[in-house]
Amino acid sequence: MPAYAEMGTEELETLKHGLEREYAEIQAKGLSLNMARGKPGSDQLDLSMPLLTAVTTAEDCRAEDGTDCRNYGVLDGLPEAKRFMAAMLDDEPENVIVGGNSSLSLMYEAVARCWNFGTLGSEPWCRLEQVKWLCPVPGYDRHFGVTEAFGIQMIPVPMTEEGPDMHEVERLVRDDASVKGIWCVPKYANPNGVTYSDEVVRRLASMPCAAEDFRIFWDNAYCVHHLYDDVAEQDQLLDIGAACREAGNPHRPFKFASTSKVTHPGAGISALAASPENVAEIKKRLGVGTIGYDKINQLRHVRFLKDAEGLAAHMSKHAAILRPKFELVLTKLDEGLSEVGGCSWSHPRGGYFVSFDAPEGTAKRIVQLAKEAGVTMTGAGATWPYKHDPHDSNIRIAPTLPPLDELDAAMDVFVCCTKLAYTEKLLQG
Amino acid sequence: MPAYAEMGTEELETLKHGLEREYAEIQAKGLSLNMARGKPGSDQLDLSMPLLTAVTTAEDCRAEDGTDCRNYGVLDGLPEAKRFMAAMLDDEPENVIVGGNSSLSLMYEAVARCWNFGTLGSEPWCRLEQVKWLCPVPGYDRHFGVTEAFGIQMIPVPMTEEGPDMHEVERLVRDDASVKGIWCVPKYANPNGVTYSDEVVRRLASMPCAAEDFRIFWDNAYCVHHLYDDVAEQDQLLDIGAACREAGNPHRPFKFASTSKVTHPGAGISALAASPENVAEIKKRLGVGTIGYDKINQLRHVRFLKDAEGLAAHMSKHAAILRPKFELVLTKLDEGLSEVGGCSWSHPRGGYFVSFDAPEGTAKRIVQLAKEAGVTMTGAGATWPYKHDPHDSNIRIAPTLPPLDELDAAMDVFVCCTKLAYTEKLLQG
């Protein structure tokens, strides 16, 4: 079969009628499937049940320094929790602040602090005429939501196979002091699975910025979320903290991570790492709004996962569940769409998503068709700032939540909808 | 013995020498006691150990509406958690948002939201020339810390036996639209134990405010924290929400509470209640910074404490532990200082503090003397905005953390230090 784009009108019409029949048959099934959000499946949640009984006695509630974790105190995290999260963040415990159940909150609050109070002596961003932010696209909708809430002007920067297009990034930060930050998911990026190359990390660390208080928001959400156990098949990421120190820009990065997709999302722990000066400032401001985060939950995590080795062993169990799901998605896309043409998709070795680029101008229609056939996808456009994908092309596929059989059915729907939308588009001219 | 103020110089000198000897003897003991913060004692923490085993299986993790609480979602709290916290907040579940482990955070964030975004269409407070805030004194240092951080000008308002001086409050809010809020701990107030009278609540609710977006921050931290089981000996507080609705100012109050001093501080749950319009706006903004709070911990609390009745039974156990401590403090003050004169103190029927008013100009000296004798008190001045008590008089006594024997020793030190500081002061003329 030729690629759709090479077909004549008559051939396309025939194809379209066939696809419409197929689509009608799918609709008749009354499916209710969901590939919208990066949520773990219940078998993944089962892996962490020992967490809930890891701390049950008064003796259990003692931290290694003797702190009774049932009482107030300890703003920046227990020593053992800082050590554990430092391993995730590829940093030193003394540079770490352990937070509550949400790294998104830590990021929101970090933006809010710079906004209201500035950072390390800089002018509060709220006092500036304009604040701009670099947003590698496709990217994470909740990141964009934070900067949008503060009225920060978001500038999309294309992602390459090595990370954000650094020519573009360097150009944008060099002369414009109103560009204050960049969102990065540097490993197994949301959604396209890219891990930033060493060169990209070093250029982000060393690039001259007009804004002295330019900050890299380094959301290492998928730092240990490999799909393959063999180290040769795992992506490696250079530490942005070390790279920035070496480049003489030690205060540039704010690093974030959490156990949300390690244990139980919503009941995990989060952390940030930054330069000692940043950490000191953050602690000072953090102490205004809280006495401390949930230390008992910090203990649960350390007792259950223990250390970097325990964490890796645990993540390998997640990978065993997730691998078949990702492989199924890729097989379905390959079988269903490679001959169709006009589409491309990522082949991630970790993380939570497959990024799908549909023929220009069809993404919204595909998501709409899927919805009307009972399959909920992430909204088209969500991977762009202001939910506006100028190509109407990118769709984020989240294969983790549905069981395999549901995922199988959902991908058949997705493939059919994509083909149908593409024929419609081609016939419209 | 006459009151100190009636003594002659010689008599005071003799007294002072005796007190100095007594003080030296205390110092020689090398004590290390702490009456600084309102922390529960470890016997109180033991009461809530069943909390830690209240949710242990996958089945346990199901909320009553079927939500798997091990996964993402549910921004505003589980139905059962909203119902439970509504009972604490004296409100309806639909007006409640259940938060994380800290009501202080909820308050900080509420100020921050108004600051950055305004509320219900009002101008963001950060854009105004000046923002002012009413601070009943003595009050809670962490409240004052929040408004200070935002550069809000804090205006002290005297507390009476019925709550804040309402003539003063009404005068301050009537014509000045820059007065945007007031901190209130309306029941068993921190530190002076006062519960606002019905009249004060009604006047707060109905007073004309120049600022349409004036907000009452109603921190009902001690709503169920009675010292006595007999209802006749418990303070009753009118609901500010109902009073504001009746007065035609439904959006005026933000109500807050938490289980921090019910179960385990730092590992509890918090909540706010407000008008439906406020709640809708808060949820919209909250969702930018978080996907949801810790639902498993919400379940733990509801399973352990069950309902208002279970909560009351649990608080009665706290009261049994705290009552002797408060009674000891009052006995010690009465025996040690009532004849001395110049001092007064509160006689709370609930809450976590005794408020002590030392002779003017001696509070700092008393706290310093106590510290040098091994007894840490809350810093003098902490109960005033900017830590500045213009009378240098108020000291917050926190009797809950030390065991009875330590509290006994600490109060002896405190009484001695007070007498010594007072004689020093009188001799300085």
Side-chain angles (χ1 to χ4, degrees):
Chain A
M1 195 163 71
Y4 284 16
E6 290 157 26
M7 289 184 182
T9 305
E10 205 176 324
E11 203 174 358
L12 278 171
E13 289 285 3
T14 312
L15 190 65
K16 179 157 165 274
H17 290 143
L19 288 165
E20 281 167 347
R21 267 197 308 278
E22 193 186 330
Y23 182 74
E25 282 163 22
I26 290 168
Q27 273 197 313
K29 290 185 195 165
L31 299 173
S32 175
L33 306 169
N34 195 312
M35 293 195 295
R37 302 294 323 174
K39 294 170 78 165
S42 69
D43 42 2
Q44 288 179 267
L45 302 174
D46 289 342
L47 297 175
S48 296
M49 290 311 293
L51 187 73
L52 301 186
T53 48
V55 176
T56 60
T57 68
E59 195 45 48
D60 290 342
C61 293
R62 288 271 167 208
E64 63 183 29
D65 65 359
T67 300
D68 187 341
C69 295
R70 302 173 303 172
N71 218 330
Y72 283 114
V74 189
L75 180 62
D76 56 347
L78 297 170
E80 53 266 64
K82 288 165 81 166
R83 206 163 54 230
F84 177 78
M85 293 307 289
M88 275 186 85
L89 287 158
D90 197 8
D91 217 306
E92 300 302 317
E94 59 266 31
N95 297 337
V96 169
I97 294 174
V98 183
N101 75 326
S102 163
S103 57
L104 181 66
S105 291
L106 289 183
M107 290 181 253
Y108 177 92
E109 288 158 17
V111 172
R113 278 190 300 269
C114 293
W115 188 258
N116 288 313
F117 310 118
T119 175
L120 301 184
S122 78
E123 186 78 1
W125 296 351
C126 66
R127 297 220 197 113
L128 307 175
E129 274 296 300
Q130 187 164 43
V131 177
K132 298 177 190 158
W133 205 271
L134 305 189
C135 300
V137 286
Y140 178 35
D141 55 351
R142 293 190 191 270
H143 284 166
F144 303 154
V146 171
T147 27
E148 186 174 4
F150 285 93
I152 293 171
Q153 188 196 325
M154 294 183 281
I155 304 170
V157 173
M159 279 289 278
T160 74
E161 286 302 304
E162 305 224 322
D165 177 339
M166 285 308 300
H167 285 294
E168 189 66 2
V169 170
E170 286 160 345
R171 188 183 68 78
L172 287 162
V173 300
R174 190 166 39 228
D175 304 311
D176 187 349
S178 71
V179 177
K180 292 298 188 186
I182 183 170
W183 289 119
C184 297
V185 183
K187 193 166 174 181
Y188 303 133
N190 178 351
N192 71 351
V194 161
T195 296
Y196 292 14
S197 70
D198 292 0
E199 195 204 329
V200 163
V201 175
R202 289 206 182 92
R203 286 171 74 176
L204 282 166
S206 61
M207 63 189 182
C209 295
E212 239 191 297
D213 54 353
F214 181 86
R215 289 289 180 271
I216 297 173
F217 278 64
W218 197 252
D219 181 5
N220 211 343
Y222 307 103
C223 49
V224 290
H225 303 61
H226 312 284
L227 284 173
Y228 298 92
D229 290 338
D230 183 349
V231 176
E233 291 192 84
Q234 298 178 351
D235 289 357
Q236 304 300 326
L237 175 69
L238 210 62
D239 175 34
I240 188 74
C244 284
R245 277 195 302 278
E246 279 161 28
N249 297 313
H251 311 314
R252 186 173 286 182
F254 289 152
K255 296 157 65 178
F256 303 92
S258 81
T259 67
S260 290
K261 293 182 182 87
V262 175
T263 58
H264 294 151
I269 60 175
S270 62
L272 67 82
S275 72
E277 290 82 348
N278 276 325
V279 164
E281 179 176 76
I282 293 168
K283 279 166 66 173
K284 196 187 78 183
R285 299 210 188 281
L286 211 54
V288 174
T290 186
I291 300 170
Y293 295 101
D294 187 336
K295 298 182 295 299
I296 293 184
N297 212 32
Q298 291 176 26
L299 282 180
R300 281 189 196 102
H301 278 78
V302 177
R303 300 274 163 79
F304 173 48
L305 295 167
K306 295 192 171 61
D307 51 23
E309 205 175 321
L311 178 61
H314 182 71
M315 293 314 292
S316 165
K317 296 179 193 166
H318 280 289
I321 294 170
L322 291 178
R323 217 160 32 233
K325 295 188 178 182
F326 277 81
E327 287 171 356
L328 176 65
V329 167
L330 296 177
T331 302
K332 287 281 179 180
L333 292 174
D334 200 38
E335 289 175 1
L337 296 172
S338 58
E339 288 185 4
V340 167
C343 307
S344 62
W345 52 89
S346 63
H347 294 75
R349 295 194 289 188
Y352 261 60
F353 304 102
V354 172
S355 179
F356 182 82
D357 285 314
E360 182 148 350
T362 64
K364 279 202 182 113
R365 177 64 178 153
I366 293 170
V367 170
Q368 180 204 1
L369 284 168
K371 186 167 191 65
E372 288 169 9
V375 175
T376 306
M377 312 287 304
T378 309
T383 56
W384 281 70
Y386 312 106
K387 300 191 195 304
H388 176 65
D389 174 358
H391 312 292
D392 186 24
S393 166
N394 189 251
I395 296 174
R396 186 180 79 166
I397 299 175
T400 57
L401 183 64
L404 266 177
D405 58 332
E406 291 186 14
L407 186 63
D408 192 292
M411 284 308 298
D412 285 340
V413 177
F414 180 76
V415 165
C416 172
C417 295
T418 301
K419 293 199 287 194
L420 181 52
Y422 191 18
T423 55
E424 288 174 354
K425 170 83 187 167
L426 288 167
L427 282 165
Q428 282 158 20
Chain B
M1 195 165 70
Y4 284 14
E6 288 157 28
M7 288 183 182
T9 304
E10 205 176 323
E11 204 175 355
L12 279 171
E13 288 285 5
T14 312
L15 190 65
K16 180 156 166 272
H17 290 142
L19 288 165
E20 282 168 347
R21 266 196 308 278
E22 193 186 328
Y23 182 73
E25 282 164 23
I26 290 169
Q27 274 196 312
K29 290 185 195 168
L31 298 173
S32 176
L33 305 170
N34 196 312
M35 292 196 295
R37 302 295 324 176
K39 295 169 79 164
S42 68
D43 43 0
Q44 288 179 268
L45 301 174
D46 289 341
L47 296 175
S48 295
M49 291 311 293
L51 186 73
L52 301 186
T53 48
V55 176
T56 60
T57 69
E59 196 44 47
D60 289 344
C61 293
R62 288 269 167 208
E64 64 184 30
D65 64 359
T67 301
D68 186 343
C69 296
R70 302 172 303 172
N71 219 330
Y72 284 112
V74 189
L75 180 62
D76 57 345
L78 299 169
E80 53 265 65
K82 288 165 81 166
R83 204 165 54 230
F84 177 78
M85 293 308 288
M88 275 186 85
L89 287 158
D90 198 7
D91 216 306
E92 299 303 316
E94 60 267 30
N95 297 337
V96 168
I97 294 174
V98 183
N101 75 325
S102 164
S103 57
L104 181 65
S105 290
L106 289 183
M107 291 181 253
Y108 177 93
E109 288 158 15
V111 172
R113 277 190 302 268
C114 293
W115 188 258
N116 288 314
F117 311 117
T119 176
L120 300 184
S122 79
E123 185 80 0
W125 297 351
C126 66
R127 298 221 196 112
L128 307 175
E129 275 295 299
Q130 188 165 42
V131 178
K132 297 177 191 159
W133 205 270
L134 307 187
C135 300
V137 286
Y140 177 35
D141 54 353
R142 292 190 191 271
H143 284 166
F144 302 155
V146 170
T147 27
E148 186 174 2
F150 286 92
I152 293 172
Q153 187 193 326
M154 295 182 280
I155 304 168
V157 173
M159 280 288 278
T160 73
E161 286 302 303
E162 306 223 320
D165 177 340
M166 284 308 300
H167 285 293
E168 189 67 0
V169 170
E170 286 160 346
R171 188 183 67 77
L172 287 162
V173 299
R174 190 167 37 227
D175 304 312
D176 187 349
S178 71
V179 177
K180 292 297 187 187
I182 183 171
W183 290 118
C184 297
V185 184
K187 193 165 175 183
Y188 304 132
N190 177 352
N192 71 352
V194 161
T195 297
Y196 292 13
S197 70
D198 292 359
E199 195 205 329
V200 163
V201 175
R202 288 207 182 91
R203 287 171 74 176
L204 282 166
S206 61
M207 62 189 183
C209 295
E212 238 189 297
D213 55 352
F214 181 87
R215 289 290 179 270
I216 298 172
F217 278 64
W218 197 253
D219 182 5
N220 211 345
Y222 308 104
C223 49
V224 291
H225 302 62
H226 312 284
L227 284 172
Y228 298 93
D229 291 338
D230 182 348
V231 177
E233 293 192 82
Q234 298 178 349
D235 289 357
Q236 305 300 325
L237 175 70
L238 211 61
D239 174 35
I240 189 74
C244 284
R245 277 193 302 277
E246 279 162 27
N249 298 312
H251 311 314
R252 186 173 286 182
F254 289 152
K255 296 157 63 180
F256 303 92
S258 80
T259 67
S260 290
K261 292 180 183 89
V262 174
T263 58
H264 294 153
I269 60 175
S270 62
L272 67 80
S275 72
E277 290 82 348
N278 277 324
V279 164
E281 180 178 74
I282 293 168
K283 279 167 66 173
K284 196 187 74 181
R285 300 212 186 280
L286 210 55
V288 175
T290 187
I291 301 171
Y293 296 101
D294 187 337
K295 297 182 296 297
I296 293 184
N297 211 33
Q298 291 175 25
L299 282 180
R300 281 189 195 100
H301 278 78
V302 177
R303 301 275 163 79
F304 173 48
L305 295 166
K306 294 191 169 61
D307 52 22
E309 205 175 318
L311 178 61
H314 181 72
M315 293 315 291
S316 166
K317 295 179 193 167
H318 280 289
I321 294 169
L322 291 178
R323 215 159 36 233
K325 294 187 177 183
F326 277 82
E327 287 171 353
L328 176 65
V329 167
L330 296 176
T331 302
K332 288 282 180 179
L333 292 174
D334 200 39
E335 288 175 1
L337 295 172
S338 59
E339 288 185 3
V340 167
C343 308
S344 62
W345 52 89
S346 62
H347 294 75
R349 295 193 288 186
Y352 261 62
F353 303 103
V354 172
S355 179
F356 182 82
D357 285 314
E360 183 149 349
T362 64
K364 279 203 180 113
R365 176 65 178 151
I366 293 168
V367 170
Q368 179 203 2
L369 284 168
K371 184 165 193 68
E372 289 168 8
V375 175
T376 306
M377 311 288 302
T378 308
T383 56
W384 280 70
Y386 312 105
K387 299 190 195 305
H388 176 64
D389 174 359
H391 313 291
D392 186 23
S393 165
N394 188 252
I395 296 173
R396 187 181 78 165
I397 299 174
T400 57
L401 183 63
L404 266 177
D405 57 333
E406 291 186 14
L407 185 63
D408 191 290
M411 285 307 298
D412 285 341
V413 176
F414 179 77
V415 165
C416 173
C417 295
T418 302
K419 293 200 286 195
L420 181 53
Y422 192 17
T423 56
E424 287 173 355
K425 170 82 185 171
L426 288 167
L427 283 165
Q428 284 157 17

